[in-house]
């Protein structure tokens, strides 16, 4: 079988173009930064051909030769090292190692940037990043819905805009019950995207929309899925995709209640052959179930239809830039390693706040509530990455093994360490029951029973209709022992990772107050991304995760056993809320939530710094 591997540095972006590709260097993995680069071969090539738009370049190991971009690897190229000089003279070394590389594999992004692609040939091989040649069909089920409009189609457009999806290779299908024509769906998407797309991208948007077709059918209809299969097969035939090589990605932007019937229909009617590297992958959205039992039922039903390797349980928080940065921060920095434990850390908060209510999603939300909507999935996933032990390697299974282990160490949640809230006016929504007990706010303290974290409270807090919109991780350190400066009043050291808005991380620390006196103040070391990485556009979470699905990288997706433990942690609490044993406290929209939540925080050990006001420049 033809295989190729391309080791890339994490800060290298590829801009694939027909007839070659241009390399772009950026300090973040974004191929939007299209600065041309000069390229020098620094490795030894043993055979002719392969680099420099068809020109032959010979170089000895260590010798530098500049080759103008675009470069085009040829099938005969042997492993070689290439050095890129960006205009700003950043130098990045890249190892190309290939037996065959085709335009298709470059185009489809299987060789593109990936946050954890390593520079080593063997690691790429270990990660199973193999060449795929067949054409790609992306099928969005629930194409008429909110998620599809706001997240899925925009993410696909951005991937198209950046060259990760190519018009001569990919086709996108929308499927839902609503009767729409191709043009109706296109206009819906244009209506949403048109507002955010700049004038110079309008033409690209039109090209993108031409790739979209719509098929109407119900979620349990044999005819509907047969028709869908026919349309997809026509596309594959028109692209001369050989049987067994085509790739089909089904994105279920649907309520989970229809997952079993939709998956049965896909299995029955829409599978392609996979003997020549083709595949069928299914992306499922959260919530995966409502409690342990229903989640296990759902997993069992999907598990009968598809292998775990074909199932991508998406949690879009795992696609956020600073969530993806957590492992790098923790395990690539000597600073943090010795401090990241119960000896130094007093408490950790993981917080999600929204300054709007359930707006148009009241019916869905009332059935699920804030714990199922945000805490059991998004915040718990973040907790895993903050608290887990170092994985053996960056292979998806090694990382997910560690996540499962730390989840298994979480103790049962005590009802006295939970505060629930519901904002005033929530029940005015006609789709919400008048007697609803559903929390729109919750704070819960989780405790991890292991050597590293015994005694350190992990405070997970989420709320809708609050006074601000933000998501952050706040690590508060213990007081300094034997403090000769009496700096307690300045507050504790805190390390804050702000996931959104305006990604940043900063450390609150005590310094000498500048001036003649010897007194202390609290100050900060600030890494605000908007200032530090001004040229970089941070990709949307969905963009990354869809690209990962196309590449077959499951690292940022939730594994079945991980999901089970996550539900084990929250199911008893959820059942006592569902049965009305725990009741939410009413809070004013636009407030901080119930005051009892702040009291719980203080009881858990969090010490608020009074009088310290600093607005990070990117938020100012
Ligand atoms: N919206 C968001 O911001 C987010 C959503 N999600 C998850 O993504 C999935 C889709 O969300 P969203 O787009 O908001 O959902 P919608 O309620 O908009 O539903 C999507 C589509 O599914 C079909 N549908 C709706 N209700 C039913 C039903 N009871 N039975 C069968 N089909 C139905 C409708 O299409 P038609 O009638 O045309 O067939 C609808 O257009 C959900 O699992 C949600 O939890 C996850 C994160 C964020
Ligand atoms: O999954 C969900 O997430 C959104 C918040 O996502 P974010 O990326 O904007 O933080 C939330 O509004 C929604 O209720 C929930 O289903």
């Amino acid at each position: 079988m033809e295989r190729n591997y391309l080791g890339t540095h994490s800060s290298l972006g590829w801009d694939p173009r027909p007839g070659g590709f241009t390399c772009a260097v950026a300090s973040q993995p974004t191929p939007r930064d299209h600065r041309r680069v000069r390229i020098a071969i620094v490795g030894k090539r043993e055979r002719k051909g392969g680099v420099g738009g068809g020109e032959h370049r010979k170089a000895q190991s260590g010798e530098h030769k500049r080759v103008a971009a675009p470069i085009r690897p040829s099938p005969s190229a042997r492993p070689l090292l290439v050095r890129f000089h960006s205009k700003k003279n950043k130098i990045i070394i890249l190892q190309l190692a290939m037996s065959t590389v085709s335009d298709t594999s470059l185009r489809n992004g299987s060789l593109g940037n990936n946050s954890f692609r390593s520079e080593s040939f063997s690691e790429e091989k270990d990660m199973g990043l193999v060449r795929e040649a067949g054409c790609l069909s992306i099928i969005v089920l629930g194409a008429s819905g909110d998620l599809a409009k706001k997240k899925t189609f925009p993410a696909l457009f951005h991937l198209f805009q950046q060259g990760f999806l190519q018009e001569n290779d990919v086709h996108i299908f929308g499927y839902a019950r609503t009767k729409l024509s191709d043009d109706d769906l296109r206009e819906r998407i244009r209506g949403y995207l048109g507002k955010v797309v700049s004038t110079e991208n309008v033409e690209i948007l039109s090209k993108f929309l031409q790739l979209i077709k719509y098929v109407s059918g119900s979620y349990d209809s044999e005819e509907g899925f047969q028709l869908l299969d026919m349309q997809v097969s026509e596309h594959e035939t028109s692209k001369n995709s050989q049987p067994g090589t085509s790739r089909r990605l089904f994105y279920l932007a649907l309520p989970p209640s229809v997952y079993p019937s939709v998956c049965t229909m896909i299995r029955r009617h829409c599978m392609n052959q996979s003997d020549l590297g083709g595949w069928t992958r299914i992306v499922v959205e959260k919530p995966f179930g409502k409690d342990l039992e229903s989640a296990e039922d759902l997993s069992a039903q999907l598990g009968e239809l598809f292998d775990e390797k074909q199932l991508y349980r998406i949690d879009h928080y795992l696609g956020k830039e600073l969530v993806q940065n957590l492992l790098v921060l923790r395990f690539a920095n000597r600073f943090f390693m010795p401090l990241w434990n119960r000896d130094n850390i007093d408490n950790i908060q993981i917080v999600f706040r929204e300054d709007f209510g359930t707006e148009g999603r009241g019916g869905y939300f009332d059935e699920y509530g804030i714990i199922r909507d945000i805490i059991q999935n998004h915040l718990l996933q973040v907790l895993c990455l903050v608290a887990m032990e170092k994985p053996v390697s960056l292979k998806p299974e090694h990382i997910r093994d560690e996540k499962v282990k730390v989840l298994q160490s979480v103790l049962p949640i005590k009802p006295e360490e939970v505060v629930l809230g519901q904002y005033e006016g929530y029940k005015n929504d006609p789709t919400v029951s008048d007697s609803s007990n559903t929390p729109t706010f919750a704070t819960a303290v989780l405790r991890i029973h292991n050597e590293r974290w015994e005694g350190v409270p992990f405070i997970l807090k989420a709320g809708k209709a609050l006074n601000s919109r933000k998501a952050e991780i706040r690590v508060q350190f213990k007081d300094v022992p034997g403090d000769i400066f009496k700096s307690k009043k300045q507050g504790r050291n805190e390390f804050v990772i702000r996931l959104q808005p305006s990604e940043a991380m900063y450390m609150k620390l005590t310094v000498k107050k500048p001036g003649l006196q010897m007194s202390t103040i609290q100050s900060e070391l600030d890494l605000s991304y908007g200032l530090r990485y001004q040229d970089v556009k941070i990709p949307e979470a969905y963009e990354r995760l869809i690209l990962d699905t196309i590449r077959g990288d499951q690292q940022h997706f939730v594994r079945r056993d991980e999901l089970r433990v996550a539900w084990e942690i929250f199911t008893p609490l959820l059942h006592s809320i569902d049965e009305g044993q725990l009741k939410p406290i009413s809070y004013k929209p636009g407030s901080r939530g119930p005051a009892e939540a702040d009291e719980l925080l203080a009881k858990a050990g969090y010490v608020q710094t009074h009088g310290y006001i600093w607005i990070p420049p990117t938020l100012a």
Side-chain angles (χ1 to χ4, degrees):
M1 189 167 76
E2 284 187 322
R3 293 166 79 88
N4 65 54
Y5 311 98
L6 182 63
T8 66
H9 188 283
S10 64
S11 55
L12 189 77
W14 290 99
D15 174 21
R17 296 275 163 88
F21 61 95
T22 307
C23 305
V25 178
S27 43
Q28 286 296 309
T30 164
R32 286 175 60 88
D33 187 352
H34 284 177
R35 281 170 300 182
R36 286 265 168 132
V37 293
R38 289 169 293 146
I39 300 161
I41 304 165
V42 294
K44 187 176 178 185
R45 285 198 316 108
E46 293 163 12
R47 290 168 67 175
K48 283 181 173 182
V51 168
E55 290 171 60
H56 294 164
R57 306 269 171 187
K58 284 183 186 165
Q60 297 302 311
S61 197
E63 183 187 343
H64 291 202
K65 275 201 174 184
R66 294 212 171 116
V67 183
I71 64 170
R72 178 189 174 86
S74 89
S76 59
R78 303 281 290 207
L80 49 81
L81 293 171
V82 181
R83 174 177 289 192
F84 296 88
H85 302 254
S86 76
K87 268 189 192 156
K88 290 187 180 166
N89 226 16
K90 282 180 205 149
I91 293 176
I92 284 167
I93 298 206
L94 167 80
Q95 181 184 33
L96 284 167
M98 58 193 90
S99 55
T100 20
V101 175
S102 76
D103 277 359
T104 314
S105 49
L106 293 169
R107 276 198 311 268
N108 73 31
S110 62
L111 306 178
N113 63 7
N114 178 309
S115 44
F116 286 131
R117 294 276 163 103
S118 93
E119 292 173 332
S120 124
F121 173 70
S122 63
E123 280 181 33
E124 289 293 319
K125 189 173 172 186
D126 286 349
M127 288 171 82
L129 299 170
V130 298
R131 172 177 178 269
E132 290 157 343
C135 73
L136 174 65
S137 303
I138 300 177
I139 302 107
V140 181
L141 298 128
S144 55
D146 186 66
L147 181 81
K149 179 176 75 179
K150 291 188 189 149
K151 300 289 186 189
T152 320
F153 285 118
L156 292 173
F157 169 65
H158 289 128
L159 290 174
F160 176 75
Q161 197 183 9
Q162 293 166 89
F164 286 112
L165 302 176
Q166 291 274 321
E167 49 189 317
N168 49 0
D169 182 41
V170 73
H171 220 99
I172 298 166
F173 298 85
Y175 183 95
R177 297 171 305 183
T178 308
K179 298 265 176 262
L180 297 173
S181 65
D182 293 347
D183 282 339
D184 291 338
L185 178 63
R186 290 172 187 153
E187 285 317 304
R188 275 186 185 212
I189 300 167
R190 191 196 297 278
Y192 187 77
L193 270 174
K195 289 181 226 143
V196 288
V197 163
S198 58
T199 34
E200 72 261 28
N201 286 322
V202 167
E203 205 180 310
I204 303 180
L205 176 59
S206 297
K207 278 192 184 154
F208 169 75
L209 292 173
Q210 285 314 306
L211 298 176
I212 300 176
K213 272 183 174 294
Y214 182 75
V215 178
S216 170
S218 72
Y219 299 114
D220 55 0
S221 128
E222 312 274 348
E223 303 79 59
F225 282 84
Q226 280 162 350
L227 183 62
L228 179 62
D229 182 60
M230 221 169 70
Q231 298 263 354
V232 175
S233 302
E234 266 173 27
H235 156 63
E236 289 166 353
T237 311
S238 73
K239 297 292 168 210
N240 296 324
S241 205
Q242 279 188 10
T245 63
S246 305
R247 296 163 295 146
R248 294 184 179 188
L249 192 168
F250 292 86
Y251 193 110
L252 273 55
L254 284 167
S257 53
V258 296
Y259 291 175
S261 67
V262 167
C263 287
T264 306
M265 290 299 134
I266 295 172
R267 180 82 231 175
R268 225 176 258 170
H269 301 293
C270 302
M271 301 294 287
N272 60 347
Q273 293 170 29
S274 58
D275 43 333
L276 288 173
W279 45 253
T280 305
R281 292 181 187 147
I282 316 288
V283 180
V284 286
E285 270 290 349
K286 54 128 259 228
F288 317 109
K290 285 191 79 179
D291 60 5
L292 178 58
E293 200 188 338
S294 54
E296 279 290 279
D297 273 359
L298 188 57
S299 292
Q301 291 183 59
L302 301 197
E304 287 198 355
L305 299 166
F306 299 105
D307 294 341
E308 187 62 22
K309 283 224 164 305
Q310 295 175 299
L311 285 171
Y312 288 71
R313 295 179 197 86
I314 201 166
D315 182 312
H316 77 278
Y317 266 60
L318 290 178
K320 291 193 186 271
E321 180 66 33
L322 286 199
V323 174
Q324 298 214 332
N325 201 0
L326 282 168
L327 292 193
V328 181
L329 263 185
R330 286 192 55 204
F331 300 120
N333 290 294
R334 190 72 199 213
F335 280 145
F336 295 113
M337 285 179 191
L339 296 181
W340 213 254
N341 54 44
R342 64 193 298 268
D343 298 335
N344 301 290
I345 292 175
D346 190 90
N347 60 77
I348 297 182
Q349 287 182 64
I350 303 172
V351 181
F352 166 95
R353 314 165 69 84
E354 259 178 1
D355 54 3
F356 51 90
T358 51
E359 280 166 27
R361 295 178 74 216
Y364 150 80
F365 192 88
D366 202 46
E367 213 185 308
Y368 288 90
I370 197 79
I371 298 178
R372 292 184 177 99
D373 192 43
I374 302 288
I375 299 184
Q376 180 272 347
N377 34 66
H378 303 330
L379 300 196
L380 197 64
Q381 285 296 323
V382 173
L383 176 142
C384 287
L385 297 169
V386 170
M388 69 186 232
E389 295 302 313
K390 188 177 191 165
V392 175
S393 79
L394 292 173
K395 284 187 197 166
E397 297 324 321
H398 287 156
I399 292 175
R400 300 194 296 180
D401 288 347
E402 291 306 329
K403 285 166 75 186
V404 173
K405 265 162 59 187
V406 75
L407 288 176
Q408 284 170 332
S409 304
V410 173
L411 295 172
I413 300 170
K414 295 186 189 149
E416 63 273 23
E417 292 203 308
V418 176
V419 171
L420 304 176
Q422 188 184 80
Y423 66 83
E424 287 170 17
Y426 168 69
K427 288 188 238 174
N428 296 343
D429 182 331
T431 59
V432 170
S433 141
D434 290 341
S435 57
S436 171
N437 195 45
T438 302
T440 59
F441 174 99
T443 297
V445 180
L446 267 60
R447 297 187 180 268
I448 299 173
H449 179 57
N450 69 13
E451 197 178 335
R452 186 185 290 272
W453 296 117
E454 189 78 60
V456 179
F458 283 76
I459 304 152
L460 307 193
K461 179 159 82 179
K464 294 214 170 239
L466 298 178
N467 58 350
S468 62
R469 175 181 175 256
K470 78 176 167 193
E472 66 179 22
I473 304 161
R474 189 168 285 270
V475 181
Q476 186 171 76
F477 287 83
K478 291 180 187 265
D479 290 327
V480 174
D483 176 18
I484 54 171
F485 301 103
K486 299 195 174 36
S487 59
K488 250 189 190 162
K489 67 175 182 347
Q490 305 296 355
R492 287 173 165 177
N493 288 157
E494 277 182 14
F495 177 46
V496 183
I497 300 166
R498 192 173 58 238
L499 310 180
Q500 65 192 33
S502 307
E503 292 83 352
M505 55 183 94
Y506 53 93
M507 280 179 179
K508 288 165 61 174
L509 71 177
T510 302
V511 298
K512 177 186 165 299
K513 188 172 182 180
L516 289 174
Q517 283 171 333
M518 175 49 85
S519 59
T520 59
I521 49 163
Q522 187 148 69
S523 193
E524 56 291 313
L525 287 174
D526 170 35
L527 172 56
S528 287
Y529 274 43
L531 289 179
R532 179 67 180 79
Y533 302 113
Q534 294 187 10
D535 298 340
V536 180
K537 149 102 174 49
I538 296 185
E540 272 284 321
Y542 279 96
E543 226 171 289
R544 271 188 229 264
L545 295 175
I546 292 175
L547 192 55
D548 280 352
T549 312
I550 297 169
R551 290 167 170 166
D553 183 351
Q554 290 188 309
Q555 178 182 323
H556 303 297
F557 294 83
V558 180
R559 204 168 65 186
R560 182 174 171 173
D561 51 349
E562 218 178 321
L563 177 66
R564 186 178 55 240
V565 203
W567 279 118
E568 276 169 8
I569 294 169
F570 283 99
T571 295
L573 172 64
L574 288 165
H575 282 176
S576 41
I577 299 169
D578 295 343
E579 288 155 18
Q581 288 152 18
L582 286 180
K583 294 209 180 299
I585 302 164
S586 176
Y587 64 92
K588 292 223 170 307
S591 70
R592 282 181 53 78
E596 287 81 347
D598 285 337
E599 288 159 21
L600 175 63
L601 207 63
K603 222 152 109 197
Y606 178 72
V607 179
Q608 201 195 340
T609 311
H610 292 285
Y612 168 80
I613 298 172
W614 173 69
I615 300 172
T618 44
L619 280 187

